[in-house]
Amino acid sequence: MNRFFDIPSDLQHDWLGLIGLHLREALLPVLAGLLLALPLAQLCVRLRWLYPPVLWVTTVLYAIPSLAFFVVLIDYTGQTELTVMIPLTIYTLVVLVPAIVDGVRSVPQETLAAATAMGFGPVRRYVQVQLPIAVPAIIAGLRVATVSSISLVSVGMLIGNQGALGNLLHDAQIYNRPELAWNSVLTSAALAVLADALLVVVRVLLTPWMPSGRSAGRSRGTGVRPETAVPALEDAAR
Amino acid sequence: MIRIDSVTKRYPDGTVAVDRLSLDIPDRSITVLVGPSGCGKTTTLRMINRMVEPSVGAILIDGVDSRQQSVNTLRRGMGYVIQNAGLFQHRTIVDNIATVPRMLGWSKDKARARARELMERVGLDASFAKRYPYQLSGGQQQRVGVARALAADPPVLLMDEPFSAVDPVVRKGLQDELLRIQAELGKTIVFVTHDIDEAVKLGTMVAVLRTGGRLAQFAPPAELLSDPADAFVEDFLGADRGIRRLSFFSSAGLDLLTAPVVAIDATAEQIAARGTTEAPYALVTGLDGRPLGWSEPDRLTAGQIDVGRLLPCGRPFVAGQDSLRAALDCAVLSPTGWAVAVDDEGRAAGVVSQASIAEAIRGAHAEGREEPRSTGAGVQKVIR
Ligand SMILES: Nc1ncnc2c1ncn2[C@@H]1O[C@H](COP(=O)(O)OP(=O)(O)OP(=O)(O)O)[C@@H](O)[C@H]1O
Ligand SMILES: [Mg+2]
């Protein structure tokens, strides 16, 4: 058991160091994805015709396995974290754009009319009315994106030690130490569960105006259902 | 004054929602736009605050084209109230109401103080201030909607079917409240509804629109009921417009008989002195003067009046304050066919028969015909 946390020196990090690395590689893309998704979703809401093609493109991108992305990107960005983070950003975008668009569109017509009639310009209306009301849907999307991103980072081991906790899987094989594989799987699962729980707390804090007892993910048909463990396992198969 | 000057609205898909509409909306009064669904009421209202731009024609506010000022300035000077209130579900009640003052740059404290003041004005308990919209009933939300529209004290209030999603009892309460607020604050209100009763009750002037967005008639409600411009308006007013018109005539002119009113402790002489010729029944009142019920005259024995055996006298009308419609309603519902009039404090003021109410109605109609159009403003509007 004491060898469980004994990380081979070729990984250049101890266990906590790997966790920090893993979180950075997983969460930076989520953040980048969120920052890109907000204006893109706003555009899709304003220009209705834009949404179907955007949705189509993102779905196609989502269908591409991460390994394929790595193979293409490696020519440009080399064996770096960036090569891992770019596909993760795209996956986040794919999840968040529809979540935000649906969330923003679920704002009742009367609310929008009232805002316009009070003299809200389009930007103020988006930031002060539509986005806050879409927060539950956005966080539901963020939960899915975060959990899958945490599990997908491990795939980075395939392009040479860029998988953070995932690299333990490789080491488990070459040093014949199965406990390292267990460590990798359990630690990233724990990170995913913790990150997910944190987002739930954030959601509760941000939406005191929601009737209690109505869960964010299921309300208003956002189409995004955060069921923590399931997407993590599915995505691990990519 | 808001002047709608031969305005036409054609939507991009070719629908003509409003067709060469001209209306002069008088200041400090309630103008109601009424008509069947799809006749362009909402479109007209939204052209006033430029949420919809007219295709042809112009809207003048105090003689100036509304397009001369920026839309947001224009809109912040016009409160807007809609069905289901359209509250911001993510903000507390007090912050909902404070929205426009905050946008106008008021400090948070000042805006919230103003919001609390308005909550009181629209009859909302202060304990609602920190709640969220989902915690309020439909009627309460509607009050918040009205308070929010009034927050920055705009001279104009635009209301689009604000009370149509609440039940009739709450609706009546909100309507009375609106009349009271209007009397206190003197706003220029443009009110959209498809309910002709609401239009007649609230409107100083009523514009009836027909499908296709054309004006059918623009008149005070009393005139609408007495002289509908055409078959469409007449049909829209419904079958009982004659009865409804009676709401505009005061019961002040009715001849009340006091002889048939007998106090419960009346002496034998007082009972004997009661005029037996005019009314077939006597109205027995309690010691406080309130009506208790009807009695057949030969059953009256001094000192032995049995309250339990009296015929019920039903709901009375307030003499001089209620309308002829209320008086007639009381007479029709009374088991004796006679209506009971009371004073402000509920004491019996006299009784009146269906026949003499009918006479008063004939008199009022004759008067109404003598001075047509102008009576509109002249007839005292009586609200039950
Ligand atoms: N944005 C739009 N594009 C095209 N047609 C529209 C649009 N808005 C309204 N219309 C049409 O214009 C007409 C008038 O609509 P409007 O909403 O003004 O009616 P309304 O009198 O308010 O009806 P209701 O009582 O049902 O609310 C209708 O035939 C409607 O279908
Ligand atoms: Mg309408």
Side-chain angles (χ1 to χ4, degrees):
Chain A
M1 196 62 213
N2 57 344
R3 302 198 60 196
F4 191 81
F5 294 109
D6 180 12
I7 310 296
S9 60
D10 66 328
L11 296 186
Q12 295 167 351
H13 288 281
D14 61 5
W15 185 63
L16 288 178
L18 281 180
I19 288 179
L21 196 64
H22 198 95
L23 285 179
R24 189 177 75 203
E25 280 186 49
L27 299 186
L28 277 182
V30 173
L31 192 68
L34 179 64
L35 293 181
L36 288 172
L38 284 173
L40 188 58
Q42 154 80 332
L43 217 58
C44 289
V45 171
R46 298 218 67 192
L47 310 173
R48 294 194 147 255
W49 58 267
L50 193 63
Y51 188 42
V54 166
L55 207 57
W56 187 81
V57 170
T58 53
T59 307
V60 168
L61 287 176
Y62 199 58
I64 300 175
S66 49
L67 193 56
F69 268 116
F70 296 157
V71 168
V72 175
L73 282 172
I74 216 156
D75 287 344
Y76 303 93
T77 51
Q79 295 191 355
T80 60
E81 281 181 21
L82 201 58
T83 310
V84 179
M85 293 201 286
I86 289 172
L88 294 188
T89 304
I90 290 171
Y91 291 146
T92 301
L93 210 57
V94 173
V95 173
L96 281 184
V97 168
I100 299 174
V101 171
D102 291 347
V104 166
R105 281 195 184 163
S106 74
V107 176
Q109 277 306 315
E110 281 120 18
T111 309
L112 294 181
T116 307
M118 280 189 279
F120 282 69
V123 175
R124 189 200 284 264
R125 195 177 81 166
Y126 185 68
V127 174
Q128 292 189 3
V129 179
Q130 291 174 296
L131 270 190
I133 292 177
V135 157
I138 295 173
I139 295 204
L142 273 180
R143 287 172 67 186
V144 175
T146 305
V147 168
S148 66
S149 189
I150 288 176
S151 81
L152 278 173
V153 164
S154 299
V155 185
M157 87 179 180
L158 296 173
I159 56 164
N161 279 3
Q162 294 304 336
L165 287 165
N167 297 343
L168 289 172
L169 295 170
H170 186 234
D171 279 18
Q173 222 171 9
I174 57 178
Y175 300 119
N176 193 20
R177 285 179 53 194
E179 74 275 11
L180 290 181
W182 281 110
N183 184 329
S184 167
V185 171
L186 292 177
T187 308
S188 51
L191 288 182
V193 170
L194 283 177
D196 190 59
L198 200 69
L199 283 170
V200 173
V201 171
V202 168
R203 206 267 298 154
V204 169
L205 290 180
L206 285 181
T207 59
W209 49 268
M210 288 232 320
S212 47
R214 207 179 69 185
S215 112
R218 275 132 223 244
S219 64
R220 319 226 141 178
T222 55
V224 184
R225 287 173 148 232
E227 272 153 20
T228 323
V230 181
L233 294 178
E234 275 172 6
D235 287 330
R238 274 168 190 285
Chain B
M1 189 180 65
I2 300 172
R3 162 168 288 176
I4 298 176
D5 194 7
S6 43
V7 160
T8 294
K9 175 63 191 181
R10 183 178 286 105
Y11 281 109
D13 66 357
T15 312
V16 177
V18 174
D19 191 10
R20 286 161 294 167
L21 178 69
S22 291
L23 280 183
D24 279 353
I25 295 169
D27 280 342
R28 307 171 77 82
S29 62
I30 303 182
T31 300
V32 179
L33 306 178
V34 67
S37 186
C39 69
K41 304 181 293 291
T42 299
T43 303
T44 304
L45 195 73
R46 289 186 173 192
M47 285 195 288
I48 296 176
N49 72 355
R50 292 182 57 197
M51 284 168 80
V52 173
E53 296 285 358
S55 314
V56 183
I59 295 186
L60 308 174
I61 294 167
D62 295 326
V64 183
D65 192 325
S66 66
R67 281 167 290 202
Q68 301 265 309
Q69 53 180 322
S70 90
V71 285
N72 288 344
T73 315
L74 178 80
R75 287 175 188 163
R76 286 168 200 174
M78 295 181 171
Y80 188 73
V81 189
I82 34 178
Q83 192 178 332
N84 297 322
L87 298 183
F88 294 156
Q89 52 184 298
H90 60 295
R91 292 194 182 164
T92 58
I93 301 310
V94 67
D95 286 341
N96 260 285
I97 300 173
T99 305
V100 179
R102 290 286 289 148
M103 258 195 306
L104 294 175
W106 296 24
S107 76
K108 207 165 194 143
D109 286 344
K110 189 177 165 211
R112 286 196 172 160
R114 169 76 177 150
R116 284 172 198 276
E117 176 192 325
L118 279 163
M119 286 180 66
E120 199 183 321
R121 168 142 270 151
V122 300
L124 276 173
D125 195 84
S127 65
F128 288 120
K130 288 284 170 211
R131 295 212 202 166
Y132 287 97
Y134 81 92
Q135 294 164 309
L136 267 58
S137 74
Q140 289 162 347
Q141 292 194 20
Q142 213 57 67
R143 284 169 200 268
V144 178
V146 174
R148 181 174 67 177
L150 288 170
D153 204 16
V156 177
L157 221 51
L158 307 176
M159 308 183 83
D160 194 352
E161 305 203 21
F163 308 146
S164 58
V166 293
D167 70 66
V169 178
V170 174
R171 188 180 316 148
K172 180 175 182 306
L174 289 165
Q175 290 167 347
D176 292 339
E177 206 94 324
L178 182 70
L179 287 170
R180 186 179 57 73
I181 290 170
Q182 158 66 12
E184 283 171 18
L185 304 180
K187 299 289 178 196
T188 301
I189 298 178
V190 188
F191 191 104
V192 165
T193 180
H194 57 248
D195 176 358
I196 186 68
D197 283 316
E198 189 168 60
V200 166
K201 175 171 177 179
L202 296 178
T204 315
M205 291 291 283
V206 177
V208 184
L209 301 181
R210 68 172 93 239
T211 312
R214 272 168 305 129
L215 184 64
Q217 188 169 8
F218 187 45
E223 187 184 321
L224 209 62
L225 290 167
S226 59
D227 298 301
D230 56 20
F232 169 80
V233 178
E234 186 164 7
D235 199 39
F236 193 72
L237 288 167
D240 53 352
R241 73 179 165 91
I243 300 285
R244 268 195 266 136
R245 205 185 147 210
L246 295 180
S247 332
F248 292 93
F249 299 120
S250 167
S251 59
L254 287 173
D255 275 332
L256 301 179
L257 297 184
T258 50
V261 181
V262 176
I264 191 152
D265 59 349
T267 60
E269 293 87 76
Q270 282 171 320
I271 290 174
R274 194 191 66 84
T276 48
T277 47
E278 282 175 295
Y281 291 87
L283 180 75
V284 179
T285 61
L287 294 174
D288 56 359
R290 291 169 184 276
L292 294 173
W294 295 98
S295 170
E296 283 167 32
D298 45 4
R299 285 177 182 263
L300 286 175
T301 320
Q304 288 181 25
I305 299 174
D306 179 1
V307 177
R309 300 191 55 162
L310 297 176
L311 290 172
C313 58
R315 195 167 53 86
F317 69 96
V318 181
Q321 203 166 306
D322 278 338
S323 65
L324 278 183
R325 183 178 178 179
L328 180 64
D329 194 55
C330 295
V332 170
L333 291 176
S334 166
T336 60
W338 286 63
V340 177
V342 294
D343 62 15
D344 292 346
E345 261 113 69
R347 290 182 302 242
V351 296
V352 58
S353 68
Q354 287 179 358
S356 73
I357 295 174
E359 203 171 306
I361 293 170
R362 280 194 296 277
H365 281 189
E367 218 170 282
R369 262 193 299 277
E370 271 161 31
E371 26 181 335
R373 315 267 141 199
S374 67
T375 48
V379 171
Q380 177 64 42
K381 183 159 181 184
V382 188
I383 298 146
R384 279 181 50 178

